[in-house]
Amino acid sequence: MKKIINDPATVVADALRGMAAAHPDLLDVQYDPAVVVRADAPVPRKVAVISGGGSGHEPLHGGFVGRGMLDAACPGAVFTSPTPDQVQAAITRTDGGAGALLIVKNYTGDVLNFETAAELAAMEGVEVRSVVIDDDVAVKDSLYTAGRRGVGGTVLLEKIVGAAAERGVDLDGCEALARRVIGQVRSMGLALSACTVPHAGEPSFTLADDEMELGIGIHGEPGRQRVPVGPASELVPALLDPILEDLPFTEGDRVLLFTNGMGGTPLIELYLAHGIAEELLAARGIVVERRLVGPYITSLEMQGMSLTVLKLDDELIDLWDAPVHTPALRWGV
Amino acid sequence: MATCTASSIADALRSAAQVITEHRDELVRLDREIGDGDHGENMKRGFTAMVSKLDSTELATPGAVLKLAASTLISTVGGAAGPLYGTAFLRAAAAVGDAAELDAALVAKALQAALEGVVARGKAVVGDKTMVDALTPAVAAAESVAEAGGDVASVLSAAAEAADQGAESTVPLVARKGRASYLGERSAGHLDPGARSTALLLRTFAGSAR
C-alpha cells in the first residue's frame, strides 16, 4: 500500500485539518466528534440540510458544505458511517430554528446511525426529518436485499435541496422536494480496479487486467457481476441502458446527466464517456438540459465511473442553477 | 461461577477487547470478501475505547457496566455494527435493571433482550446471513440451560457453542441484509463477519465466567 498518509488510524482527522486550512472562509471543522460545518452556521430561520457517510468519497460530503448546499457534513471513518453523536452534534451546531433535514444514503450502517441520531435530536426538541436516497439500479431483487444503495444521485439531491433551503423553503417543503428528487434520479457504476482502504492495507478485491466489476457501490465492495472490459462504446451503454429502462426515461424527457469519476479515472476518460452518453441520450430523444462531469462521489483511488440521470422540470432546473458556494461546487456567486 | 458482578462483567469486556484485537485482521478479511472490510477495525476501535472508559470509571452494578459499553460502542464503532451492538448492550442493561449481581436466569434474560434489540434495529431474521444467525440459537441455548438450573458459566458456554454453530451456518447463505446483500448469490460461501464477531464475544464471555 502506497499512500500519502502518516497513520491509518488518523487519516480522517488529518485530512479534516487540511480541509479546514484550505477553506477557512467556507468551513468550520470540529473534531470531537468530527463535523464539517458551514462557516456562518447556524443560519437563522433556515432549514439545516445535513448529510454524511464514510470518508473516502471526497468531495462528498464535506466538499459540499457551504452556502446553497449543506449546512453540515458528518465524516465517518473511511467507508464507515458516522456515529449518532456526530450527527447529533451537526444538528445542534446548525439548528437555526427551522428544523433539520438529514440526507441519508441507503446503506444499513448509515440508516441505523442517522435513525438513532434523529431519535436523540428529537429528545432535545429539534424537529428532524430524514430522507433515504436509493438511486442505484444495479441492485436487483430489492425485496431480498437492504434495498437499493444511495450513490451518485446524492450529489444532485444535496445541491437541489440545499438551494431550496437557502431560499427559505420550510422543512415540509424541503422534505417533499427531496422525496421528489429521489423518485426521479437513477444511477449505476463500474470499477476497472479496486481501491485500498488505509486500515485494511490491501485492495478490497482483485481484478484481472481484462476484467471489470459492473454495478459497484461506492465502498470498494464488489459489484453484481464481473465481466470482460470492452471499449468505452460498450461500457457507457452498459451503465446507461439499465438506468434508462428503470425509471423509465422516455423520449422528450428533460434530464441532468452526471458523469462521475470514482477517484482514479482521469477527466480525459470521463469526458470521453460523457460524450458517448450524450449521443446515446440524443438518439433516444432525451434532452440533456444540465450536466456535471468530474469526480464528485469517489471511492478513494478506484478506477471507474458512474452515470446518474435526473429527470428535470423548470423548478428543479431553477434550483440546480441557483448560486452555490462550497469547496467542490461553486457557481453564481 | 454462580453469579456475576459489575467487576466480573468489566473483566469479561476487557478480555473481549483483547480477543477482538487478536481477531481484527480475520474480521477485516471476512468483511472484505462480502462487504467493505471495516468490521474488524471498527470493532477494535470501539472495544479499545470501551476499555479505557472502564478503566477510568467506577461502576457499581452490572447494568451500569453494560450501559457504559453500549454508549461507547454507539459513539465509536460506526457502520451497522455500532448501533446494533450498542442496542444489544443497551437492552441487556435495561433487562438487568439495578440488580447487584446476575444469576443464570438474569444472564439468559439479558441475552434475550439483546437479541430483541438487534432484531428491532436491524430487522433481520434467521437466515439473512447476519449476527442474528449466531445470536438467536445462542439465546435459545442459554434459556434452556438456565431453565434446567444451570449456573452462569454453563449458560454462557451453551450460548457460545450455539453461536459458533450459528455463525458457521451463515457460510452457504445468500445475504439479505446489510452490505453483503448487494452481492446477491456471490455472498454465498463466505462466513458472515457479524455472526463471527458475535460468536467470538460469547466465547470470550463464557471463558471469563469459568
Side-chain angles (χ1 to χ4, degrees):
Chain A
M1 178 176 70
K2 277 197 284 191
K3 287 185 185 289
I4 301 170
I5 62 172
N6 289 316
D7 176 351
T10 62
V11 164
V12 174
D14 294 350
L16 287 175
R17 270 192 295 281
M19 201 177 175
H23 305 286
D25 53 331
L26 296 175
L27 306 179
D28 180 12
V29 178
Q30 294 176 200
Y31 297 93
D32 192 20
V35 185
V36 180
V37 182
R38 64 186 262 180
D40 58 349
V43 182
R45 293 174 298 285
K46 176 190 168 303
V47 170
V49 182
I50 296 167
S51 192
S55 295
H57 307 303
E58 290 66 31
L60 190 84
H61 296 270
F64 300 131
V65 173
R67 186 151 73 86
M69 213 157 163
L70 296 178
D71 291 80
C74 309
V78 174
F79 289 179
T80 298
S81 54
T83 53
D85 55 321
Q86 280 178 272
V87 182
Q88 199 189 4
I91 295 169
T92 308
R93 180 73 176 73
T94 58
D95 174 30
L101 181 71
L102 309 181
I103 295 179
V104 187
K105 297 187 298 302
N106 193 30
Y107 277 97
T108 307
D110 291 86
V111 172
L112 293 183
N113 283 284
F114 275 89
E115 219 171 62
T116 308
E119 278 175 32
L120 294 171
M123 288 196 275
E124 307 273 304
V126 182
E127 195 173 5
V128 180
R129 308 274 177 80
S130 303
V131 293
V132 177
I133 178 158
D134 54 355
D135 55 318
D136 185 6
V137 303
V139 178
K140 304 273 188 226
D141 314 323
S142 60
L143 283 176
Y144 304 103
T145 70
R148 294 178 167 193
R149 296 173 290 217
V151 288
T154 312
V155 177
L156 312 184
L157 177 65
E158 290 176 0
K159 168 66 185 82
I160 287 169
V161 175
E166 199 72 45
R167 285 182 181 174
V169 174
D170 67 9
L171 189 55
D172 284 338
C174 286
E175 184 189 3
L177 174 69
R179 294 192 192 283
R180 192 154 74 84
V181 171
I182 290 167
Q184 295 181 190
V185 66
R186 298 289 187 273
S187 300
M188 183 149 159
L190 64 82
L192 304 178
S193 73
C195 57
T196 298
V197 179
H199 65 242
E202 327 170 20
S204 348
F205 52 87
T206 45
L207 284 172
D209 280 350
D210 58 351
E211 283 179 336
M212 67 172 181
E213 287 275 347
L214 188 60
I216 50 151
I218 53 168
H219 296 86
E221 68 266 48
R224 288 285 294 191
Q225 261 184 303
R226 187 163 292 192
V227 294
V229 186
S233 59
E234 287 171 18
L235 299 189
V236 175
L239 296 182
L240 191 59
D241 291 347
I243 292 173
L244 298 181
E245 280 150 27
D246 188 87
L247 193 61
F249 293 86
T250 54
E251 190 173 352
D253 278 346
R254 304 156 73 198
V255 302
L256 187 159
L257 172 63
F258 169 27
T259 302
N260 175 62
M262 301 307 298
T265 291
L267 267 176
I268 184 173
E269 294 174 32
L270 294 183
Y271 279 129
L272 191 155
H274 184 82
I276 296 171
E278 292 249 0
E279 283 171 17
L280 291 168
L281 287 167
R284 291 195 187 217
I286 296 169
V287 185
V288 181
E289 294 261 18
R290 294 293 184 273
R291 300 84 184 152
L292 183 67
V293 184
Y296 289 103
I297 171 167
T298 60
S299 293
L300 298 169
E301 77 279 27
M302 179 185 276
Q303 278 184 289
M305 62 170 291
S306 62
L307 289 177
T308 297
V309 184
L310 166 67
K311 196 180 280 198
L312 293 172
D313 53 37
D314 289 340
E315 184 195 1
L316 295 189
I317 291 175
D318 187 42
L319 290 166
W320 178 256
D321 290 345
V324 59
H325 192 182
T326 69
L329 280 188
R330 177 181 304 200
W331 59 70
V333 291
Chain B
M1 183 186 280
T3 60
C4 49
T5 61
S7 75
S8 62
I9 291 179
D11 286 344
L13 290 171
R14 286 189 184 93
S15 305
Q18 198 170 344
V19 168
I20 290 292
T21 301
E22 283 160 12
H23 289 265
R24 175 213 179 264
D25 291 354
E26 179 200 343
L27 294 173
V28 164
R29 177 180 56 77
L30 291 174
D31 193 24
R32 200 164 51 228
E33 286 165 359
I34 56 172
D36 57 350
D38 62 3
H39 188 56
E41 176 67 17
N42 293 350
M43 291 291 279
K44 180 185 162 214
R45 184 172 59 240
F47 275 83
T48 305
M50 187 198 294
V51 167
S52 66
K53 281 206 186 168
L54 286 170
D55 288 347
S56 62
T57 324
E58 197 66 44
L59 295 160
T61 62
V65 175
L66 293 169
K67 208 168 161 188
L68 179 80
S71 63
T72 316
L73 294 177
I74 289 173
S75 65
T76 56
V77 175
L84 290 172
Y85 276 117
T87 304
F89 278 96
L90 200 59
R91 294 290 182 94
V96 303
D98 50 11
E101 297 190 354
L102 310 187
D103 60 10
L106 262 183
V107 168
K109 191 179 164 199
L111 288 173
Q112 169 68 34
L115 171 63
E116 284 168 8
V118 169
V119 170
R121 255 278 163 251
K123 300 174 183 72
V125 296
V126 169
D128 283 347
K129 198 178 180 93
T130 71
M131 56 195 281
V132 171
D133 289 314
L135 199 49
T136 303
V139 168
E143 281 177 337
S144 76
V145 172
E147 275 165 28
D151 65 359
V152 169
S154 56
V155 163
L156 286 171
S157 114
E161 188 62 35
D164 271 336
Q165 287 173 19
E168 283 304 320
S169 78
T170 65
V171 172
L173 296 175
V174 173
R176 289 184 298 225
K177 289 283 173 187
R179 209 164 277 174
S181 70
Y182 303 128
L183 295 188
E185 299 288 336
R186 290 169 82 189
S187 63
H190 300 279
L191 181 62
D192 180 66
R196 174 65 176 146
S197 62
T198 295
L200 281 172
L201 289 176
L202 286 169
R203 173 68 63 198
T204 311
F205 297 156
S208 296
R210 263 203 303 276

